[in-house]
Amino acid sequence: MNEVWNLDPIYKGFDDPRFAADMAQLKEAVAEMNTFTAGLKDMEPLEGLRRGIALEENTSLLAERLALYANLRQSTHGRDTEPGSYLGQIMGILSGTAGPRAVFRSWA
């Protein structure tokens, strides 16, 4: 019986270029959300809704995939501190969306 989960379909490891690319994309998504909400007052309502929802979905999907991998790694390698470190980084990046999300949701 295999006692270790194969997480390769998500990422091959924290050193996987896809993991690094998704971390970079998450940072970009947060920055884009900040830029978007700064110009929201001048945007047409329907376009604002479409863009805001798309930005929220993209950010959520990236964060979920990254955090899922880190959580599963932490579950299978309990003594490994690397997953916890990445979870902290992901949560730190994601915390940058709190203000913009509140602005968008209030506007919507």
XYZ file of all heavy atoms in Angstrom:
838
model
N 0.847 -1.183 0.000
C 0.000 0.000 0.000
C 0.891 1.244 0.000
O 1.828 1.355 0.762
C -0.909 -0.035 1.220
C -1.748 1.186 1.365
S -2.764 1.060 2.845
C -4.270 1.652 2.191
N 0.566 2.184 -0.837
C 1.317 3.430 -0.933
C 0.906 4.344 0.210
O -0.250 4.715 0.338
C 1.043 4.096 -2.285
C 1.906 5.309 -2.508
O 2.712 5.667 -1.677
N 1.730 5.934 -3.649
N 1.859 4.750 1.047
C 1.551 5.578 2.201
C 1.837 7.061 1.964
O 1.703 7.858 2.871
C 2.322 5.071 3.409
C 1.855 3.682 3.817
C 2.522 3.203 5.087
O 3.072 4.035 5.831
O 2.485 2.000 5.323
N 2.255 7.399 0.772
C 2.533 8.794 0.446
C 1.679 9.185 -0.754
O 1.654 8.495 -1.754
C 4.033 9.001 0.127
C 4.299 10.440 -0.253
C 4.892 8.589 1.308
N 0.977 10.293 -0.627
C 0.163 10.773 -1.740
C 1.055 11.280 -2.851
O 2.079 11.903 -2.618
C -0.741 11.917 -1.296
C -1.738 11.562 -0.254
C -2.244 10.333 0.020
C -2.350 12.469 0.669
N -3.140 10.417 1.049
C -3.226 11.713 1.464
C -2.241 13.824 0.892
C -3.993 12.276 2.468
C -3.007 14.386 1.885
C -3.867 13.622 2.649
N 0.603 11.048 -4.074
C 1.306 11.601 -5.228
C 0.651 12.941 -5.563
O -0.452 12.997 -6.093
C 1.225 10.640 -6.413
C 1.930 11.177 -7.627
O 2.556 12.232 -7.600
N 1.835 10.461 -8.724
N 1.334 14.010 -5.238
C 0.804 15.353 -5.466
C 1.303 15.963 -6.765
O 1.040 17.133 -7.050
C 1.169 16.261 -4.279
C 0.672 15.782 -2.912
C 1.156 16.736 -1.823
C -0.828 15.659 -2.890
N 2.016 15.160 -7.564
C 2.585 15.658 -8.819
C 1.562 16.297 -9.762
O 1.911 17.236 -10.480
C 3.335 14.552 -9.560
C 4.642 14.186 -8.871
O 5.015 14.857 -7.878
O 5.282 13.214 -9.314
N 0.304 15.826 -9.791
C -0.653 16.507 -10.679
C -0.887 17.975 -10.303
O -1.274 18.775 -11.153
C -1.942 15.691 -10.519
C -1.465 14.324 -10.143
C -0.264 14.576 -9.260
N -0.641 18.319 -9.045
C -0.808 19.717 -8.637
C 0.503 20.451 -8.912
O 0.548 21.375 -9.716
C -1.204 19.819 -7.151
C -2.463 18.990 -6.872
C -1.443 21.283 -6.767
C -2.806 18.851 -5.411
N 1.555 20.065 -8.202
C 2.912 20.586 -8.406
C 3.878 19.450 -8.090
O 3.582 18.592 -7.267
C 3.229 21.770 -7.481
C 2.321 22.960 -7.626
C 1.398 23.279 -6.648
C 2.398 23.776 -8.749
C 0.561 24.381 -6.778
C 1.560 24.869 -8.889
C 0.639 25.168 -7.900
O -0.184 26.251 -8.041
N 5.036 19.485 -8.687
C 6.053 18.456 -8.440
C 6.827 18.730 -7.150
O 7.522 17.865 -6.651
C 7.023 18.376 -9.620
C 6.341 18.118 -10.943
C 6.669 16.758 -11.459
C 6.083 16.578 -12.849
N 4.963 15.698 -12.868
N 6.710 19.915 -6.624
C 7.390 20.320 -5.399
C 7.346 21.829 -5.293
O 6.854 22.519 -6.187
N 7.877 22.336 -4.196
C 7.908 23.791 -4.043
C 8.901 24.431 -4.998
O 8.837 25.629 -5.246
C 8.218 24.168 -2.594
C 7.094 23.829 -1.655
C 7.253 22.863 -0.673
C 5.863 24.456 -1.760
C 6.223 22.550 0.194
C 4.809 24.146 -0.906
C 4.994 23.187 0.079
N 9.799 23.617 -5.539
C 10.760 24.119 -6.521
C 10.272 23.958 -7.961
O 10.970 24.290 -8.910
C 12.121 23.444 -6.345
C 12.047 21.934 -6.485
O 10.934 21.369 -6.512
O 13.117 21.296 -6.562
N 9.035 23.466 -8.120
C 8.427 23.317 -9.445
C 8.234 24.715 -10.052
O 7.673 25.603 -9.401
C 7.070 22.611 -9.293
C 6.380 22.295 -10.608
O 6.671 22.938 -11.631
O 5.527 21.392 -10.598
N 8.675 24.917 -11.287
C 8.479 26.228 -11.926
C 7.004 26.654 -11.977
O 6.700 27.850 -11.928
C 9.034 26.035 -13.336
C 9.987 24.895 -13.225
C 9.446 24.008 -12.133
N 6.090 25.696 -12.052
C 4.658 26.032 -12.056
C 4.231 26.631 -10.717
O 3.394 27.523 -10.673
C 3.806 24.808 -12.383
C 4.002 24.309 -13.813
C 3.130 23.097 -14.133
N 3.348 22.023 -13.175
C 2.384 21.264 -12.635
N 1.134 21.455 -12.969
N 2.661 20.316 -11.766
N 4.805 26.111 -9.618
C 4.492 26.656 -8.300
C 4.979 28.106 -8.223
O 4.240 28.992 -7.797
C 5.132 25.806 -7.193
C 4.760 26.258 -5.807
C 3.587 25.826 -5.215
C 5.586 27.112 -5.097
C 3.237 26.249 -3.944
C 5.250 27.548 -3.823
C 4.075 27.109 -3.241
N 6.219 28.332 -8.644
C 6.783 29.684 -8.630
C 5.970 30.627 -9.526
O 5.705 31.780 -9.160
C 8.238 29.655 -9.074
N 5.549 30.131 -10.677
C 4.756 30.954 -11.601
C 3.405 31.310 -10.984
O 2.940 32.456 -11.113
C 4.565 30.222 -12.926
N 2.778 30.357 -10.309
C 1.493 30.636 -9.676
C 1.639 31.600 -8.507
O 0.774 32.448 -8.285
C 0.808 29.339 -9.236
C 0.161 28.599 -10.398
O 0.111 29.142 -11.518
O -0.313 27.461 -10.176
N 2.740 31.496 -7.758
C 2.983 32.461 -6.674
C 3.129 33.871 -7.270
O 2.559 34.829 -6.747
C 4.238 32.083 -5.881
C 4.067 30.901 -4.955
S 3.042 31.234 -3.518
C 4.200 32.112 -2.470
N 3.874 33.970 -8.361
C 4.055 35.269 -9.023
C 2.715 35.774 -9.557
O 2.402 36.973 -9.438
C 5.077 35.152 -10.149
N 1.912 34.884 -10.125
C 0.597 35.282 -10.644
C -0.311 35.760 -9.527
O -1.102 36.682 -9.716
C -0.070 34.109 -11.369
C 0.283 33.995 -12.820
C -0.603 32.957 -13.495
O -0.726 31.824 -13.021
N -1.221 33.349 -14.578
N -0.216 35.113 -8.355
C -1.038 35.534 -7.225
C -0.674 36.958 -6.813
O -1.552 37.790 -6.571
C -0.871 34.562 -6.051
C -1.727 34.851 -4.817
C -3.217 34.818 -5.158
C -1.409 33.852 -3.708
N 0.615 37.258 -6.765
C 1.062 38.617 -6.437
C 0.545 39.621 -7.478
O 0.092 40.709 -7.131
C 2.581 38.678 -6.363
C 3.154 37.941 -5.175
C 4.663 37.937 -5.214
C 5.227 37.056 -4.105
N 6.681 36.920 -4.196
N 0.611 39.231 -8.746
C 0.121 40.100 -9.820
C -1.388 40.299 -9.712
O -1.892 41.404 -9.957
C 0.465 39.505 -11.178
C 1.933 39.554 -11.518
C 2.271 38.788 -12.797
O 1.357 38.520 -13.607
O 3.449 38.453 -12.975
N -2.114 39.244 -9.356
C -3.573 39.334 -9.230
C -3.955 40.305 -8.113
O -4.899 41.082 -8.252
C -4.172 37.957 -8.974
N -3.207 40.283 -7.022
C -3.469 41.214 -5.917
C -3.197 42.649 -6.372
O -4.001 43.551 -6.115
C -2.622 40.840 -4.683
C -2.719 41.916 -3.612
C -3.058 39.491 -4.119
N -2.094 42.848 -7.060
C -1.780 44.180 -7.569
C -2.842 44.651 -8.559
O -3.252 45.824 -8.538
C -0.400 44.182 -8.233
N -3.299 43.742 -9.415
C -4.328 44.086 -10.398
C -5.641 44.448 -9.714
O -6.339 45.370 -10.139
C -4.532 42.914 -11.359
C -5.403 43.241 -12.534
C -5.501 42.108 -13.553
O -4.775 41.109 -13.430
O -6.322 42.241 -14.476
N -5.966 43.748 -8.637
C -7.190 44.041 -7.901
C -7.104 45.434 -7.271
O -8.081 46.182 -7.284
C -7.417 42.980 -6.824
C -8.751 43.094 -6.136
S -10.102 42.728 -7.272
C -11.299 42.062 -6.172
N -5.934 45.793 -6.762
C -5.737 47.132 -6.199
C -5.911 48.202 -7.267
O -6.583 49.212 -7.044
C -4.348 47.240 -5.558
C -4.313 46.657 -4.173
O -5.038 47.097 -3.298
N -3.471 45.664 -3.974
N -5.305 47.990 -8.424
C -5.419 48.941 -9.529
C -6.866 49.047 -10.000
O -7.373 50.153 -10.242
C -4.518 48.500 -10.704
O -3.172 48.422 -10.244
C -4.614 49.461 -11.868
N -7.518 47.914 -10.123
C -8.908 47.863 -10.573
C -9.812 48.678 -9.648
O -10.588 49.509 -10.100
C -9.380 46.411 -10.650
C -10.868 46.254 -10.741
C -11.549 46.568 -11.908
C -11.593 45.795 -9.651
C -12.933 46.425 -11.985
C -12.963 45.647 -9.724
C -13.636 45.969 -10.892
N -9.703 48.435 -8.343
C -10.605 49.126 -7.422
C -10.306 50.621 -7.337
O -11.212 51.407 -7.049
C -10.573 48.497 -6.012
O -9.242 48.470 -5.530
C -11.161 47.101 -6.035
N -9.071 51.004 -7.599
C -8.736 52.436 -7.599
C -9.478 53.181 -8.705
O -9.820 54.354 -8.550
C -7.229 52.622 -7.749
N -9.737 52.510 -9.831
C -10.436 53.146 -10.948
C -11.891 52.767 -11.063
O -12.560 53.101 -12.038
N -12.404 52.101 -10.074
C -13.768 51.575 -10.125
C -14.831 52.662 -10.240
O -15.823 52.485 -10.948
C -14.017 50.723 -8.880
C -15.185 49.771 -8.866
C -15.167 48.851 -10.082
C -15.175 48.946 -7.598
N -14.617 53.792 -9.590
C -15.650 54.847 -9.594
C -15.906 55.421 -10.985
O -16.974 55.929 -11.259
C -15.280 55.951 -8.608
C -14.023 56.697 -8.955
C -13.723 57.752 -7.907
C -12.525 58.550 -8.239
N -11.237 57.968 -8.058
N -14.924 55.284 -11.879
C -15.073 55.812 -13.233
C -15.496 54.748 -14.246
O -15.585 55.039 -15.441
C -13.744 56.437 -13.692
C -13.315 57.579 -12.799
O -14.184 58.331 -12.320
O -12.093 57.702 -12.558
N -15.740 53.549 -13.775
C -16.023 52.441 -14.671
C -17.527 52.251 -14.879
O -18.329 52.515 -13.980
C -15.420 51.159 -14.068
C -15.277 50.032 -15.048
S -14.274 48.709 -14.353
C -12.700 49.513 -14.283
N -17.887 51.813 -16.061
C -19.274 51.469 -16.337
C -19.666 50.286 -15.445
O -18.895 49.340 -15.291
C -19.433 51.083 -17.812
C -20.859 50.739 -18.166
C -20.978 49.918 -19.442
O -20.149 50.066 -20.340
O -21.917 49.119 -19.492
N -20.861 50.317 -14.837
C -21.253 49.291 -13.873
C -21.140 47.842 -14.369
O -20.575 47.000 -13.672
C -22.702 49.643 -13.536
C -22.776 51.114 -13.753
C -21.869 51.386 -14.910
N -21.638 47.564 -15.560
C -21.598 46.190 -16.046
C -20.164 45.725 -16.262
O -19.792 44.605 -15.883
C -22.411 46.052 -17.345
C -22.526 44.636 -17.912
C -23.125 43.680 -16.882
C -23.369 44.643 -19.177
N -19.334 46.575 -16.831
C -17.927 46.232 -17.038
C -17.213 46.053 -15.700
O -16.395 45.152 -15.530
C -17.224 47.304 -17.881
C -15.758 47.032 -18.124
C -15.472 45.737 -18.876
O -16.356 45.213 -19.575
O -14.329 45.249 -18.762
N -17.532 46.915 -14.749
C -16.936 46.805 -13.418
C -17.292 45.491 -12.746
O -16.437 44.848 -12.135
N -18.548 45.094 -12.859
C -18.973 43.816 -12.281
C -18.253 42.644 -12.944
O -17.757 41.741 -12.265
C -20.489 43.636 -12.409
C -21.341 44.392 -11.413
C -22.829 44.258 -11.774
C -21.090 43.871 -10.004
N -18.210 42.663 -14.252
C -17.550 41.566 -14.981
C -16.076 41.452 -14.599
O -15.584 40.368 -14.309
C -17.684 41.764 -16.486
C -19.046 41.457 -17.010
C -19.091 41.609 -18.509
N -20.417 41.283 -18.997
C -20.953 41.793 -20.067
N -20.293 42.674 -20.813
N -22.163 41.445 -20.450
N -15.392 42.563 -14.625
C -13.954 42.547 -14.313
C -13.698 42.192 -12.853
O -12.789 41.425 -12.539
C -13.321 43.897 -14.637
C -13.146 44.095 -16.138
C -12.269 45.269 -16.483
N -10.929 45.118 -15.916
C -10.171 46.145 -15.575
N -10.595 47.379 -15.732
N -8.969 45.950 -15.079
N -14.495 42.735 -11.960
C -14.313 42.462 -10.531
C -14.536 41.005 -10.192
O -13.759 40.405 -9.446
N -15.576 40.433 -10.747
C -15.864 39.014 -10.498
C -14.761 38.146 -11.087
O -14.296 37.195 -10.452
C -17.254 38.633 -11.050
C -18.342 39.303 -10.205
C -17.430 37.116 -11.075
C -19.730 39.228 -10.790
N -14.314 38.470 -12.290
C -13.234 37.700 -12.921
C -11.947 37.788 -12.095
O -11.255 36.776 -11.905
C -12.990 38.193 -14.345
N -11.635 38.974 -11.595
C -10.439 39.138 -10.768
C -10.551 38.351 -9.465
O -9.591 37.700 -9.041
C -10.197 40.615 -10.457
C -9.632 41.450 -11.593
C -9.692 42.932 -11.255
C -8.196 41.033 -11.870
N -11.708 38.398 -8.831
C -11.905 37.635 -7.596
C -11.796 36.132 -7.848
O -11.173 35.417 -7.070
C -13.248 37.972 -6.954
C -13.247 39.287 -6.224
C -14.304 39.371 -5.145
O -14.982 38.367 -4.868
O -14.438 40.456 -4.563
N -12.384 35.661 -8.927
C -12.310 34.231 -9.251
C -10.870 33.802 -9.509
O -10.424 32.776 -9.002
C -13.170 33.907 -10.476
C -14.642 33.881 -10.195
C -15.478 33.591 -11.435
O -14.950 33.660 -12.567
O -16.665 33.293 -11.263
N -10.156 34.571 -10.310
C -8.772 34.244 -10.632
C -7.910 34.203 -9.368
O -7.136 33.255 -9.161
C -8.209 35.259 -11.628
C -6.799 34.930 -12.037
O -6.486 33.812 -12.413
N -5.921 35.916 -11.967
N -8.064 35.201 -8.525
C -7.289 35.257 -7.285
C -7.617 34.072 -6.389
O -6.720 33.426 -5.837
C -7.567 36.585 -6.544
O -7.286 37.672 -7.426
C -6.730 36.708 -5.294
N -8.889 33.772 -6.257
C -9.312 32.655 -5.404
C -8.793 31.317 -5.916
O -8.317 30.488 -5.135
C -10.839 32.602 -5.304
O -11.321 33.717 -4.600
N -8.877 31.093 -7.220
C -8.409 29.827 -7.786
C -6.910 29.641 -7.592
O -6.453 28.545 -7.238
C -8.776 29.735 -9.269
C -10.249 29.530 -9.574
C -10.515 29.638 -11.078
C -10.734 28.188 -9.049
N -6.145 30.694 -7.823
C -4.700 30.614 -7.617
C -4.372 30.317 -6.159
O -3.579 29.423 -5.854
C -4.023 31.922 -8.033
C -3.816 32.149 -9.508
C -3.427 33.601 -9.775
C -2.736 31.215 -10.035
N -4.986 31.070 -5.261
C -4.708 30.892 -3.831
C -5.130 29.505 -3.352
O -4.419 28.871 -2.575
C -5.424 31.973 -3.025
N -6.268 29.024 -3.830
C -6.742 27.696 -3.436
C -5.782 26.605 -3.889
O -5.475 25.691 -3.121
C -8.132 27.427 -4.018
C -9.243 28.146 -3.294
C -10.592 27.932 -3.949
O -10.766 26.936 -4.690
O -11.483 28.767 -3.726
N -5.319 26.674 -5.119
C -4.412 25.655 -5.639
C -3.095 25.654 -4.867
O -2.585 24.607 -4.469
C -4.167 25.857 -7.137
C -3.315 24.771 -7.751
C -3.205 24.841 -9.275
N -3.008 26.170 -9.798
C -3.847 26.774 -10.638
N -4.930 26.158 -11.060
N -3.594 27.987 -11.089
N -2.548 26.836 -4.639
C -1.295 26.950 -3.901
C -1.448 26.459 -2.463
O -0.628 25.679 -1.969
C -0.806 28.404 -3.911
C -0.305 28.927 -5.257
C -0.304 30.444 -5.276
C 1.082 28.371 -5.556
N -2.497 26.910 -1.793
C -2.712 26.528 -0.395
C -3.060 25.045 -0.270
O -2.634 24.380 0.680
C -3.805 27.388 0.226
N -3.814 24.525 -1.219
C -4.156 23.103 -1.204
C -2.889 22.263 -1.256
O -2.722 21.324 -0.470
C -5.063 22.758 -2.389
C -5.340 21.275 -2.622
C -6.223 20.725 -1.522
C -5.974 21.062 -3.972
N -2.006 22.610 -2.155
C -0.765 21.847 -2.278
C 0.039 21.926 -0.980
O 0.508 20.908 -0.459
C 0.071 22.359 -3.453
C 1.367 21.607 -3.579
C 1.384 20.306 -4.067
C 2.567 22.168 -3.156
C 2.563 19.592 -4.163
C 3.749 21.464 -3.250
C 3.743 20.181 -3.751
O 4.908 19.465 -3.824
N 0.195 23.121 -0.444
C 0.966 23.285 0.786
C 0.323 22.528 1.947
O 1.014 21.885 2.737
C 1.123 24.772 1.119
N -1.003 22.580 2.048
C -1.710 21.850 3.105
C -1.534 20.343 2.966
O -1.302 19.647 3.958
C -3.204 22.193 3.098
C -3.521 23.423 3.895
O -3.006 23.602 4.993
N -4.364 24.276 3.360
N -1.664 19.845 1.749
C -1.496 18.406 1.537
C -0.061 17.972 1.818
O 0.171 16.906 2.399
C -1.916 18.016 0.121
C -3.412 18.094 -0.155
C -3.697 17.874 -1.641
C -4.169 17.078 0.690
N 0.893 18.791 1.407
C 2.302 18.484 1.711
C 2.523 18.460 3.210
O 3.222 17.597 3.737
C 3.235 19.512 1.070
C 3.627 19.261 -0.356
C 4.636 18.130 -0.500
N 5.882 18.365 0.215
C 6.971 18.897 -0.319
N 6.984 19.233 -1.598
N 8.044 19.083 0.415
N 1.933 19.406 3.911
C 2.084 19.473 5.362
C 1.443 18.244 6.018
O 1.981 17.705 6.978
C 1.449 20.747 5.895
C 1.789 21.064 7.329
C 1.368 22.465 7.697
O 0.270 22.902 7.336
N 2.217 23.183 8.398
N 0.339 17.782 5.476
C -0.348 16.611 6.018
C 0.471 15.341 5.839
O 0.425 14.448 6.678
C -1.708 16.422 5.339
O -2.553 17.497 5.630
N 1.187 15.252 4.735
C 1.943 14.037 4.451
C 3.365 14.074 4.976
O 4.008 13.045 5.098
C 1.984 13.748 2.935
O 2.592 14.843 2.264
C 0.598 13.501 2.394
N 3.867 15.248 5.260
C 5.235 15.412 5.767
C 5.178 16.295 7.013
O 5.596 17.447 6.982
C 6.138 16.056 4.707
C 6.219 15.287 3.428
N 5.364 15.513 2.379
C 7.042 14.285 3.044
C 5.667 14.684 1.390
N 6.683 13.934 1.772
N 4.647 15.746 8.089
C 4.366 16.514 9.296
C 5.545 17.252 9.893
O 5.378 18.292 10.514
N 6.746 16.762 9.720
C 7.912 17.415 10.323
C 8.571 18.434 9.392
O 9.505 19.127 9.784
C 8.934 16.368 10.731
C 8.397 15.467 11.807
C 9.371 14.396 12.168
N 8.695 13.445 13.033
C 9.280 12.795 13.992
N 10.564 12.958 14.215
N 8.594 11.951 14.728
N 8.078 18.516 8.193
C 8.633 19.438 7.204
C 8.075 20.840 7.469
O 6.861 21.033 7.499
C 8.266 18.953 5.805
C 8.906 19.756 4.689
O 9.667 20.699 4.981
O 8.646 19.427 3.524
N 8.935 21.810 7.658
C 8.493 23.183 7.939
C 8.231 24.001 6.679
O 7.614 25.064 6.746
C 9.539 23.919 8.803
O 10.777 23.969 8.094
C 9.720 23.237 10.146
N 8.697 23.510 5.544
C 8.555 24.261 4.291
C 7.088 24.538 3.925
O 6.760 25.675 3.550
C 9.265 23.516 3.164
C 9.459 24.333 1.927
C 10.299 23.619 0.881
O 10.312 22.370 0.835
O 10.950 24.327 0.097
N 6.192 23.549 4.049
C 4.795 23.851 3.701
C 4.195 24.973 4.550
O 3.485 25.833 4.028
C 4.070 22.528 3.953
C 5.111 21.488 3.836
C 6.371 22.128 4.341
N 4.490 24.977 5.837
C 3.973 26.033 6.702
C 4.488 27.400 6.308
O 3.767 28.395 6.360
N 5.750 27.434 5.897
C 6.341 28.692 5.444
C 5.612 29.204 4.207
O 5.288 30.402 4.111
C 7.820 28.484 5.137
O 8.377 29.646 4.574
N 5.347 28.314 3.269
C 4.640 28.735 2.053
C 3.194 29.108 2.348
O 2.667 30.049 1.741
C 4.725 27.664 0.969
C 6.027 27.732 0.219
C 7.021 26.790 0.429
C 6.283 28.758 -0.674
C 8.234 26.863 -0.243
C 7.486 28.849 -1.346
C 8.457 27.891 -1.127
O 9.656 27.987 -1.789
N 2.561 28.397 3.271
C 1.194 28.775 3.638
C 1.176 30.195 4.199
O 0.281 30.979 3.880
C 0.616 27.797 4.666
C 0.083 26.491 4.110
C -0.220 25.505 5.233
C -1.164 26.739 3.278
N 2.155 30.518 5.020
C 2.248 31.873 5.558
C 2.447 32.908 4.465
O 1.830 33.976 4.490
N 3.290 32.579 3.486
C 3.509 33.502 2.367
C 2.236 33.708 1.554
O 1.896 34.836 1.176
C 4.610 32.967 1.458
C 5.993 33.018 2.068
C 7.024 32.416 1.137
O 7.027 32.701 -0.058
N 7.909 31.591 1.675
N 1.541 32.606 1.291
C 0.297 32.681 0.512
C -0.726 33.534 1.250
O -1.361 34.411 0.648
C -0.251 31.264 0.228
C 0.709 30.499 -0.688
C -1.654 31.325 -0.368
C 0.509 28.985 -0.675
N -0.873 33.298 2.543
C -1.844 34.065 3.320
C -1.434 35.544 3.386
O -2.300 36.427 3.344
C -1.988 33.485 4.725
C -2.500 32.042 4.733
S -3.825 31.717 3.567
C -5.221 32.225 4.499
N -0.140 35.795 3.476
C 0.334 37.176 3.484
C 0.018 37.898 2.186
O -0.426 39.049 2.196
N 0.244 37.211 1.079
C -0.071 37.802 -0.227
C -1.568 38.036 -0.338
O -2.028 39.097 -0.751
C 0.420 36.894 -1.373
C 1.948 36.801 -1.376
C -0.100 37.392 -2.727
C 2.498 35.677 -2.251
N -2.332 37.031 0.045
C -3.787 37.102 -0.069
C -4.388 38.182 0.825
O -5.422 38.762 0.489
C -4.389 35.736 0.263
C -5.749 35.411 -0.287
C -5.804 35.631 -1.787
C -6.133 33.998 0.053
N -3.738 38.475 1.937
C -4.256 39.519 2.830
C -4.288 40.879 2.137
O -5.059 41.759 2.524
C -3.442 39.587 4.113
O -2.161 40.116 3.865
N -3.480 41.027 1.091
C -3.478 42.268 0.323
C -4.749 42.492 -0.474
O -4.953 43.568 -1.030
N -5.618 41.495 -0.527
C -6.876 41.648 -1.258
C -8.030 42.080 -0.359
O -9.106 42.385 -0.866
C -7.291 40.340 -1.966
O -7.546 39.334 -0.987
C -6.232 39.869 -2.936
N -7.817 42.097 0.943
C -8.921 42.414 1.861
C -9.532 43.781 1.565
O -10.753 43.909 1.433
C -8.449 42.334 3.307
N -8.696 44.797 1.466
C -9.196 46.147 1.185
C -9.865 46.256 -0.171
O -11.016 46.705 -0.270
N -9.172 45.831 -1.252
C -9.796 45.923 -2.573
C -11.089 45.115 -2.692
O -12.039 45.567 -3.326
C -8.726 45.372 -3.515
C -7.449 45.552 -2.806
C -7.768 45.439 -1.346
N -11.127 43.944 -2.076
C -12.367 43.158 -2.129
C -13.498 43.870 -1.416
O -14.627 43.861 -1.895
C -12.144 41.771 -1.533
C -11.448 40.838 -2.456
C -11.318 39.454 -1.878
N -10.778 38.559 -2.879
C -10.730 37.259 -2.746
N -11.188 36.681 -1.661
N -10.227 36.512 -3.710
N -13.207 44.491 -0.294
C -14.242 45.242 0.440
C -14.743 46.419 -0.401
O -15.952 46.670 -0.455
C -13.678 45.723 1.765
N -13.817 47.107 -1.060
C -14.207 48.228 -1.935
C -15.100 47.726 -3.059
O -16.157 48.306 -3.339
C -12.960 48.947 -2.501
C -13.319 49.908 -3.624
C -12.212 49.655 -1.393
N -14.674 46.652 -3.724
C -15.468 46.115 -4.836
C -16.841 45.657 -4.370
O -17.861 45.971 -4.990
C -14.725 44.954 -5.525
C -15.570 44.259 -6.552
C -15.980 44.913 -7.698
C -15.981 42.958 -6.353
C -16.778 44.271 -8.646
C -16.769 42.305 -7.290
C -17.171 42.970 -8.437
N -16.892 44.921 -3.293
C -18.181 44.386 -2.815
C -19.116 45.504 -2.368
O -20.312 45.432 -2.599
C -17.931 43.366 -1.718
C -17.314 42.103 -2.298
C -16.929 41.105 -1.266
N -16.279 39.968 -1.933
C -15.887 38.911 -1.316
N -16.059 38.769 -0.012
N -15.302 37.919 -1.991
N -18.559 46.525 -1.771
C -19.378 47.675 -1.382
C -19.905 48.376 -2.621
O -21.069 48.781 -2.682
C -18.551 48.630 -0.533
O -19.273 49.787 -0.245
N -19.039 48.542 -3.612
C -19.434 49.179 -4.872
C -20.502 48.358 -5.574
O -21.469 48.901 -6.086
C -18.205 49.347 -5.758
C -18.497 49.903 -7.118
C -18.592 51.211 -7.470
C -18.727 49.161 -8.317
N -18.855 51.324 -8.818
C -18.957 50.069 -9.351
C -18.767 47.795 -8.610
C -19.219 49.677 -10.655
C -19.013 47.403 -9.910
C -19.241 48.338 -10.921
N -20.318 47.054 -5.601
C -21.256 46.168 -6.316
C -22.609 46.190 -5.630
O -23.638 46.137 -6.252
C -20.707 44.757 -6.363
